[in-house]
Amino acid sequence: MGRDIQAIKISGEDRRKYRDKVRRSLDAFARMLRERLFDENPNTVGQEIELNLTDQDGMPSMRNAAALEAIASPAWDTEVGQFNLEINVPPRMLDGDSLDKLETELRADLNAADARARTIGSHLVMVGILPTLAEQDVREDSMSANERYKVLNEQIFAARGEDMRIEIDGSEQLLTHMDSITPESACTSVQLHTQVSPDAFANYWNAAQSIAGVQVALAANSPFLFGRKLWHETRITLFEQATDTRSDELKEQGVRPRVWFGERWITSVFDLFEENLRYFPALLPICEEEDPLAVLDQGASPQLAEMSLHNGTIYRWNRPVYDNAGGTPHLRVENRVLPAGPTIADVVANAAFYYGLVRSLAEAQRPIWTQMSFTTAAENLHEAARSGLDAQLYWPGVGDTPVTELILRRLLPLAREGLGHWGVDSSCADRLLGIIEQRCLTGQNGAAWQISTVDRLSASGLDRREALRQMTLRYIERMHSNDPVHTWSLVP
């Protein structure tokens, strides 16, 4: 998704050549794994944070191009909707006080960008789904002016052959049809990257899959869509539906969705890239000049552009990433389940919990994925998205249990232990994991606060639209305080 492309007309020959090139890239990738040509530095992490733009009244602001020009930083970029922006955080070693420094830098970057966005009448908001978003805000004409989104939209709908059906049954119900992928832009997330060695990749990916439900329950922050109260993390099901290339008939035939949890634990990173080629037709069949096997024969490292581009159009909740930065290839697990916000403190606490827990589970003597079916891990994700901190999740050794009890009794100690293995200072770990602990004890994450605040505002006589707008203004104010969401007052 991040790659800029030009307008193209795609032929059948283009698709054939692209498939052959992806196969050749996959052959090169397999050879690189055999010959151990990867950087194996295990301590590097990075983040991407997607944000929304609002006007001074808390309504969507379709001005990301102007905001990007005002911010004038290469770290910032557009996203699918004109009310979206994204910041890419430079990778860093995970040790010492690096997470404290990350929080300080993110707050400074957000504050500076927000101040510049205000010069063109917009405000930055970190939230999973902007509560004031309406259906008319996610039509095709609200797509960002970037050719890659237009081409992707055309290809998804050409594959699907009909309008997108979005149906969500939660506290309230939503049924609508869309003629573009722009509803995807309603979903703003935090993506956590972890560089791992090829030998460790499968363990880290399996561990990340096993805790996806826990992450979503803990961080849920997307309870409203188009004025309706749906799932605590509605973003999960919306994203799955908004990029679905399958007609109903193809779903009945068992064709895999492009937003995909997966279907099995893996033994190698190769499994995932090979599944990409086996199960998914190309959406953007664009070939580069590089011959990856010839590059390897010359003693250099290939870009594997076709394999990477294809991988970027398959939206696994934990996605493998191949990157060749500075001529030294490496692998990353990209964790994609978390919503944005509510505050930088909450975002960094969520990251600390994930980085610590995934390391403990990946390096455990008895892996958690040998004690738990893959289907159960997928069911945990959707139960967590529906119910947030009220979810009951399955965990080996305890069965179905309240997610808050699971985190407090079992997972927080593992996360603290894992951060110690990374070399993170104990004071830093204690502070950030203390935010996670208090969120569980109070039962208040972003979704819970949004729901309770709208209920109170509605009880005071406001209609739903105005209650959502007033809640959003209060949310923005508290977001900038950087006080963790469990401390937020519910006073209207």
Side-chain angles (χ1 to χ4, degrees):
M1 284 292 292
R3 179 179 169 191
D4 287 327
I5 62 172
Q6 302 301 313
I8 55 174
K9 185 175 182 180
I10 297 168
S11 67
E13 183 181 6
D14 291 330
R15 294 188 178 280
R16 178 187 59 79
K17 288 181 177 177
Y18 185 79
R19 182 183 291 109
D20 290 345
K21 196 68 180 294
V22 174
R23 285 174 176 157
R24 193 164 178 83
S25 294
L26 202 61
D27 289 342
F29 184 60
R31 177 174 157 188
M32 293 171 72
L33 291 171
R34 288 195 305 271
E35 296 178 5
R36 308 185 73 85
L37 301 180
F38 290 87
D39 181 6
E40 299 195 359
N41 180 356
N43 280 46
T44 304
V45 300
Q47 301 81 29
E48 300 171 60
I49 303 175
E50 298 165 350
L51 301 99
N52 293 277
L53 287 172
T54 68
D55 60 22
Q56 62 182 3
D57 296 319
M59 305 303 290
S61 173
M62 304 294 177
R63 305 203 63 195
N64 68 352
L68 197 63
E69 184 177 355
I71 292 169
S73 168
W76 291 80
D77 202 353
T78 59
E79 263 294 331
V80 176
Q82 292 180 26
F83 56 93
N84 297 146
L85 285 176
E86 178 183 84
I87 181 171
N88 292 283
V89 183
R92 69 192 64 217
M93 300 291 287
L94 182 58
D95 57 12
D97 63 351
S98 60
L99 291 172
D100 287 335
K101 291 178 179 176
L102 172 64
E103 182 178 348
T104 300
E105 291 171 16
L106 283 176
R107 287 193 67 192
D109 288 344
L110 179 61
N111 289 341
D114 188 66
R116 291 172 185 146
R118 287 173 185 249
T119 65
I120 56 101
S122 294
H123 303 256
L124 293 174
V125 186
M126 290 190 304
V127 62
I129 294 176
L130 185 62
T132 53
L133 205 63
E135 287 192 45
Q136 61 264 27
D137 297 319
V138 293
R139 299 297 180 181
E140 188 171 356
D141 60 1
S142 62
M143 191 179 298
S144 290
N146 187 310
E147 199 63 42
R148 71 174 181 264
Y149 303 130
K150 179 182 177 182
V151 174
L152 190 64
N153 182 65
E154 290 171 351
Q155 293 303 305
I156 285 178
F157 275 85
R160 183 177 174 84
E162 61 188 57
D163 283 355
M164 199 77 68
R165 176 187 175 97
I166 295 175
E167 183 175 12
I168 304 173
D169 187 6
S171 298
E172 298 167 5
Q173 286 74 45
L174 173 67
L175 173 60
T176 189
H177 292 81
M178 295 286 179
D179 61 358
S180 78
I181 63 168
T182 319
E184 176 194 337
S185 64
C187 308
T188 47
S189 65
V190 171
Q191 293 138 44
L192 303 176
H193 291 252
T194 311
Q195 182 179 332
V196 296
S197 69
D199 289 344
F201 187 95
N203 281 10
Y204 273 82
W205 188 84
N206 289 341
Q209 291 284 93
S210 71
I211 62 172
V214 173
Q215 287 181 272
V216 167
L218 183 63
N221 196 27
S222 313
F224 294 100
L225 175 65
F226 304 153
R228 293 172 176 84
K229 180 169 64 175
L230 300 168
W231 293 12
H232 281 234
E233 190 49 38
T234 305
R235 183 184 58 89
I236 295 294
T237 185
L238 176 60
F239 191 61
E240 289 175 339
Q241 296 182 56
T243 53
D244 200 340
T245 58
R246 304 170 303 163
S247 63
D248 288 344
E249 293 81 4
L250 291 178
K251 293 176 187 177
E252 290 296 326
Q253 293 172 35
V255 173
R256 278 82 171 173
R258 292 194 91 93
V259 177
W260 199 31
F261 188 77
E263 59 191 16
R264 63 189 174 105
W265 306 117
I266 65 169
T267 57
S268 167
V269 62
F270 187 83
D271 296 349
L272 301 178
F273 285 104
E274 192 272 335
E275 283 180 349
N276 289 351
L277 177 60
R278 179 152 37 104
Y279 294 146
F280 299 100
L283 288 180
L284 301 174
I286 303 166
C287 290
E288 302 293 340
E289 293 297 324
E290 177 190 76
D291 180 342
L293 291 172
V295 171
L296 279 178
D297 288 340
Q298 294 165 9
S301 298
Q303 296 297 322
L304 304 184
E306 293 81 11
M307 186 185 82
S308 296
L309 178 59
H310 188 47
N311 183 56
T313 64
I314 300 157
Y315 307 100
R316 298 175 185 271
W317 290 114
N318 285 288
R319 183 157 63 185
V321 176
Y322 168 89
D323 197 1
N324 185 359
T328 303
H330 69 262
L331 298 173
R332 301 194 303 269
V333 176
E334 181 189 13
N335 178 255
R336 301 166 50 83
V337 300
L338 290 172
T343 67
I344 292 296
D346 288 300
V347 166
V348 178
N350 292 339
F353 179 74
Y354 168 77
Y355 290 135
L357 183 56
V358 79
R359 177 148 186 177
S360 281
L361 294 178
E363 297 180 356
Q365 288 189 343
R366 188 184 178 197
I368 195 71
W369 54 94
T370 66
Q371 309 169 56
M372 177 182 185
S373 74
F374 195 88
T375 299
T376 297
E379 290 171 348
N380 277 352
L381 173 62
H382 287 93
E383 167 59 19
R386 277 187 290 267
S387 303
L389 285 174
D390 295 327
Q392 296 259 341
L393 304 185
Y394 176 85
W395 194 257
V398 294
D400 291 327
T401 188
V403 67
T404 52
E405 183 175 329
L406 173 63
I407 293 169
L408 291 169
R409 291 178 180 269
R410 293 213 170 203
L411 303 186
L412 271 175
L414 289 174
R416 184 171 281 105
E417 178 183 313
L419 289 175
H421 290 322
W422 286 112
V424 173
D425 291 345
S426 59
S427 59
C428 175
D430 289 344
R431 181 181 68 84
L432 292 171
L433 296 183
I435 293 173
I436 301 300
E437 179 182 45
Q438 288 302 309
R439 203 185 298 163
C440 292
L441 291 173
T442 61
Q444 182 164 290
N445 57 12
W449 182 87
Q450 288 189 51
I451 292 167
S452 296
T453 301
V454 167
D455 286 347
R456 291 187 178 214
L457 290 168
S458 299
S460 72
L462 299 182
D463 63 23
R464 173 62 64 80
R465 184 174 184 276
E466 183 62 15
L468 287 170
R469 191 182 74 82
Q470 292 289 343
M471 180 271 286
T472 300
L473 292 174
R474 287 161 172 77
Y475 181 103
I476 295 171
E477 179 183 355
R478 287 162 171 79
M479 180 195 78
H480 282 293
S481 75
N482 204 43
D483 295 328
V485 69
H486 71 266
T487 68
W488 289 10
S489 167
L490 293 175
V491 176

